Amino acid sequence: MFGLMDKDESGKLSYTEFRDAFRTLSYGLNDNDINMLIALADEDDDELISWREFINIGIEAIKTFYTRNIAR
């Protein structure tokens, strides 16, 4: 998934790459949800999300948003 999101193959996701990818997924995330994930993921505040940072936000965070939106 990370590799598909990393359009420029830099090994890190720009905020734009991250947003674009999550907007196209069917998780039902809105812009506020995506911005929250970005804030959680970008631990070093370099405006890029590395593989390690991406993994650290974890599947659980994404599943939480997904479950909340499906339950509506």
Side-chain angles (χ1 to χ4, degrees):
M1 181 176 180
F2 185 89
L4 295 173
M5 297 169 83
D6 185 14
K7 297 294 184 193
D8 65 1
E9 299 179 355
S10 66
K12 294 188 176 191
L13 301 177
S14 68
Y15 288 178
T16 300
E17 288 172 323
F18 190 93
R19 279 190 191 96
D20 289 349
F22 276 90
R23 284 180 181 140
T24 62
L25 295 172
S26 56
Y27 289 141
L29 301 177
N30 62 37
D31 285 341
N32 288 336
D33 295 334
I34 295 168
N35 289 335
M36 185 181 304
L37 287 175
I38 288 170
L40 289 170
D42 190 12
E43 296 171 359
D44 60 6
D45 295 321
D46 65 352
E47 298 186 12
L48 296 168
I49 299 168
S50 69
W51 169 249
R52 185 190 59 75
E53 290 172 324
F54 182 79
I55 291 303
N56 283 342
I57 65 168
I59 300 295
E60 291 305 314
I62 295 168
K63 285 185 352 186
T64 298
F65 288 118
Y66 179 75
T67 301
R68 182 193 70 205
N69 289 311
I70 294 300
R72 287 185 188 169

